[in-house]
Amino acid sequence: MPDEPCLQLLDLLERDQLAGHDFPGSGLTIRALVAVLAARQQTPPRLGNPRRCFFAVLEPFLIDEQLPRKWVGRIARTSLNHIWDWLCHDLAAAEMAAYQAEVVTALLDRDVARAHEQAAQLQKALLPAIRRAVASHDEAVLHRFSVLVGGQAVLEDLRDMMTVMEHRETLRALGERIRGPIRQLDEEEAAFILEALVPFARGDAMLLPYAVALVMGRLTHPWQILQVAVLAVESREALRLGQSSFRVVMELLLCELERLVVRAQAERRGRRTARLALAATDFAASVRAIVDHIAMGPEIGWMKRMGAARSRMAQVLRPELEELPGRVRRILRAPWYRELDGGGAFDAGEFAAIEAGLDLLVIAKDHAAELALNEATLRVISRLAAFLEASLRPLLDGLRGSVGDDRAFRLQQLEAAVRIARRVLGAEYATLLQKAVDVAAAEVRPLARAG
């Protein structure tokens, strides 16, 4: 479907949802349309809803990953469901119902500014009640409250939410000052960002983590913020950075490493190897940036935490790499195995998955130190190289005497072998192999011609 009908259908479905006329499955259809438009590099204007308007101010601080620990300045998106239910059912049912009715009316009139103004007013009105609810110092009371709102992690995210909403105008002004995306962070730009962050670093620096998180969202690569941290403390020494308020930069970058590990785990479970490779690349780039910008010693806790993240990422990637030799062996095995498999055709889908795995292998090879995969990568490449060198001659000899479907199958195998060799043994070897395939394909033995 073209973009314009998709946008029109999305707008119609969202308006029906707001008006309470949505049909079963409309939410699924909306998510599918948004995914299709996102794949086409389209960011559709969303009509929104009362819940989205209320939490819009938190967007720069939201993360989709469920992390094993809480990081200040980061709020799990899943916590919003629990917080919303608590607000609507326990804290302020009447106020939330009135707010939702007013925002629905504003959005149906396409008055987005009025809808967000209603959200800001409600936040201001509810903050004292929320503050009282979380103010107890009694551990038993806090535990009961955390169970009520959805758990300790949700309670901690609720505290972050309060801080952001209390200082929304200050953070909004920072966001308007630091425009993005910033692709190349030069010294002048780093100095400008530092000047904007210095007021947040004074005093108890309570807002600095949120300010840094907001700025990181404006950068093409989150690790670029290290240039600002080094400039702030005028040193690459980790000890000096750790003693300053700008230590939150390293804390948030360690959070980014945790996010990439969790993301990689999810991509591997979903067998999305290309996206797994992207997470591995981003992880390696972040580790390299930290090593290049910050001089750490063994006494620094950051070093230990970064090492733990590297170890977990290696655990995610290693099985994906170590299964490659077996998969390559199966797809390039002798054609007589086809009889055992019922005469199946060349598995193009499996080969596409193997190519994605080989792309991951190249990334692991190029960033073996950052990913803690030196030994595993060398072992996999060695096994693949040994198998290719042992199996190519029989495949070429078999091609010379083959006909019909068998010849087509062998040609597909050799084409796959060339593409595998390009990644494992290099472009020069792959070029020589392609010439050998062309020569073997041109040769026709008398027996093959007679057949």
Side-chain angles (χ1 to χ4, degrees):
M1 184 185 293
D3 290 349
E4 189 60 32
C6 282
L7 291 169
Q8 292 174 354
L9 179 57
L10 178 62
D11 181 75
L12 178 63
L13 290 173
E14 290 195 324
R15 289 180 66 82
D16 281 349
Q17 271 197 340
L18 277 176
H21 301 147
D22 58 320
F23 60 89
S26 62
L28 183 62
T29 306
I30 288 173
R31 289 193 293 273
L33 287 169
V34 171
V36 167
L37 291 167
R40 299 174 184 174
Q41 307 300 315
Q42 293 277 352
T43 305
R46 303 295 301 277
L47 186 60
N49 56 50
R51 182 181 178 278
R52 189 175 296 135
C53 288
F54 186 82
F55 291 125
V57 68
L58 305 179
E59 194 61 40
F61 315 101
L62 296 178
I63 58 174
D64 296 321
E65 300 81 11
Q66 288 279 65
L67 302 183
R69 56 159 288 182
K70 167 67 179 174
W71 298 85
V72 66
R74 294 300 186 192
I75 300 172
R77 196 178 294 274
T78 53
S79 292
L80 303 187
N81 295 326
H82 299 286
I83 293 172
W84 181 256
D85 289 342
W86 174 67
L87 292 173
C88 291
H89 300 142
D90 298 291
L91 184 71
E95 292 87 342
M96 295 299 293
Y99 159 78
Q100 292 182 69
E102 292 167 355
V103 170
V104 166
T105 300
L107 292 176
L108 289 175
D109 292 339
R110 300 193 181 278
D111 193 344
V112 177
R114 180 158 59 95
H116 284 284
E117 180 59 31
Q118 293 286 347
Q121 291 176 10
L122 179 64
Q123 290 164 12
K124 185 177 180 180
L126 291 184
L127 276 172
I130 299 174
R131 195 179 297 111
R132 287 193 299 272
V134 301
S136 175
H137 297 288
D138 187 299
E139 290 188 7
V141 173
L142 279 177
H143 176 71
R144 288 195 296 271
F145 179 69
S146 69
V147 172
L148 177 65
V149 296
Q152 184 63 33
V154 178
L155 175 57
E156 292 173 355
D157 283 339
L158 179 61
R159 291 193 174 107
D160 267 358
M161 184 193 84
M162 289 169 52
T163 301
V164 173
M165 289 181 174
E166 285 174 351
H167 302 277
R168 58 179 296 148
E169 293 304 318
T170 303
L171 294 170
R172 182 183 61 81
L174 175 65
E176 291 177 350
R177 186 175 179 184
I178 309 297
R179 298 289 185 175
I182 301 173
R183 292 179 173 81
Q184 295 294 330
L185 188 63
D186 55 24
E187 290 185 7
E188 183 179 352
E189 191 74 40
F192 175 76
I193 291 175
L194 176 58
E195 181 185 355
L197 290 177
V198 163
F200 294 90
R202 294 174 179 152
D204 62 4
M206 178 191 68
L207 283 184
L208 186 59
Y210 307 95
V212 171
L214 194 154
V215 171
M216 286 171 66
R218 300 291 196 269
L219 304 174
T220 304
H221 305 290
W223 48 260
Q224 291 172 307
I225 194 68
L226 282 169
Q227 294 176 242
V228 179
V230 170
L231 186 62
V233 299
E234 300 179 335
S235 173
R236 295 180 60 249
E237 294 296 326
L239 279 174
R240 186 160 179 178
L241 179 60
Q243 292 167 356
S244 77
S245 55
F246 279 90
R247 63 185 175 273
V248 300
V249 169
M250 268 300 303
E251 294 291 328
L252 284 169
L253 283 175
L254 290 170
C255 174
E256 291 302 303
L257 293 183
E258 290 280 359
R259 293 178 65 190
L260 288 166
V261 171
V262 172
R263 196 176 306 164
Q265 291 170 336
E267 304 302 359
R268 184 168 187 270
R269 286 194 299 268
R271 306 300 296 175
R272 296 180 290 268
T273 309
R275 290 166 65 174
L276 171 61
L278 181 60
T281 302
D282 290 344
F283 184 93
S286 298
V287 171
R288 170 51 54 191
I290 293 172
V291 171
D292 287 346
H293 284 85
I294 306 298
M296 292 198 192
E299 73 283 359
I300 301 298
W302 293 335
M303 191 74 169
K304 184 182 296 185
R305 287 153 68 183
M306 188 170 70
R310 290 172 63 230
S311 177
R312 289 196 295 275
M313 179 60 85
Q315 290 173 6
V316 175
L317 299 178
R318 191 178 292 112
E320 196 77 16
L321 301 178
E322 290 180 341
E323 70 180 21
L324 274 174
R327 297 175 73 179
V328 169
R329 186 178 294 109
R330 284 191 294 273
I331 207 161
L332 296 184
R333 63 188 178 181
W336 60 265
Y337 273 99
R338 297 172 66 205
E339 297 179 7
L340 301 179
D341 296 338
F346 183 83
D347 193 341
E350 168 64 5
F351 180 62
I354 289 173
E355 284 197 296
L358 290 170
D359 289 338
L360 180 62
L361 176 63
V362 172
I363 291 168
K365 177 185 175 184
D366 292 343
H367 303 284
E370 290 82 11
L371 297 171
L373 285 169
N374 277 302
E375 183 181 344
T377 302
L378 291 174
R379 183 171 61 250
V380 170
I381 291 175
S382 176
R383 290 172 61 191
L384 285 170
F387 173 72
L388 283 173
E389 292 174 354
S391 63
L392 290 175
R393 178 55 57 188
L395 286 175
L396 289 168
D397 289 341
L399 176 64
R400 294 184 178 95
S402 62
V403 294
D405 290 343
D406 187 43
R407 179 179 177 82
F409 184 83
R410 290 175 185 270
L411 281 170
Q412 287 178 304
Q413 282 187 308
L414 284 164
E415 180 187 353
V418 170
R419 290 160 69 173
I420 293 169
R422 188 174 301 279
R423 291 173 170 85
V424 176
L425 300 172
E428 184 177 352
Y429 187 97
T431 300
L432 292 174
L433 176 57
Q434 184 61 62
K435 291 179 180 178
V437 173
D438 294 340
V439 170
E443 294 180 13
V444 182
R445 292 180 178 176
L447 180 60
R449 187 182 298 113

